[in-house]
Each structure stands twice: as C-alpha cells, then as structure tokens.
Amino acid sequence: MSLEAIERVAEVESKNRERRASAETEAKQIVADAERESSALLQRVRADAAEQGKKLFRQAEEKAAARSAEIARAAEAESGALRSTAEKHLEEAAEFIVGRIVKH
C-alpha cells in the first residue's frame, strides 16, 4: 500500500472517530434534554392534578354544605309542624291525665 493510501485510510478513520464522538455527544444531549423536558412535564401534570383535586374537593364541600342547609331547613320545618301539632293536643292530654288521676 502506498503512503498516500495509508494517509487516506488514517484520515478517514480519524473523521469516523470524530463523527462517532460527535454523534455520542449529540445523543447524550438529546437524552438529557428529553429527561429534563419529561421531568418538567411531570411536574406540570402533578400540579394540574393537585389543582383539579382541590377544585373537586371545594365543589364537594359546597354541595355538602348546601345539602346540609337543605336538610337543616327541612328538619326545622318538620320539627315546627310536630311542635304545633303537639301544642294543639297539649290541653287535651293534660285533661286526660288529670281525668285519670282524679278517677283513681
């Protein structure tokens, strides 16, 4: 093999090593960028999920408070109706009791 051919082979091998090193560096950079971007995306998704969870919890609390108030109003109305009915029969009950005591 001539000296010129040997030099050419050495030059091609050197360029191949440089290309390989450059490709490895670029691949490492791509992986690092992808890891950084995926980490940032994961953080955003977690933050969004946490915010959505808080929003749903607030909505559930509001619905529970509204339902609780509705139940309290219904209970108050029912208790008022029962009280009114009891008051109507109070005198009747007192007469019945007195009548039973006096007869015995």
Side-chain angles (χ1 to χ4, degrees):
M1 209 188 289
S2 71
L3 182 59
E4 188 176 301
I6 294 172
E7 288 175 352
R8 178 83 177 131
V9 168
E11 182 181 325
V12 169
E13 287 176 349
S14 175
K15 285 183 181 180
N16 283 341
R17 281 191 296 274
E18 288 174 11
R19 285 184 191 149
R20 173 176 255 175
S22 175
E24 286 176 359
T25 301
E26 186 177 345
K28 287 178 183 178
Q29 185 61 46
I30 290 170
V31 168
D33 291 345
E35 287 176 349
R36 186 177 57 254
E37 289 173 10
S38 67
S39 179
L41 177 60
L42 181 60
Q43 287 177 346
R44 284 194 306 271
V45 167
R46 284 181 177 162
D48 290 347
E51 186 59 37
Q52 183 66 20
K54 288 177 185 177
K55 180 179 177 183
L56 290 173
F57 187 72
R58 282 191 303 271
Q59 289 174 350
E61 283 182 327
E62 289 170 2
K63 286 180 182 179
R67 180 69 177 131
S68 176
E70 181 182 323
I71 291 170
R73 282 190 300 272
E76 186 64 34
E78 187 176 343
S79 103
L82 289 173
R83 189 178 306 113
S84 176
T85 302
E87 288 172 355
K88 288 178 185 175
H89 296 289
L90 183 62
E91 191 173 319
E92 206 176 291
E95 287 177 14
F96 175 76
I97 293 170
V98 168
R100 296 275 295 190
I101 294 173
V102 172
K103 287 183 183 178
H104 285 62

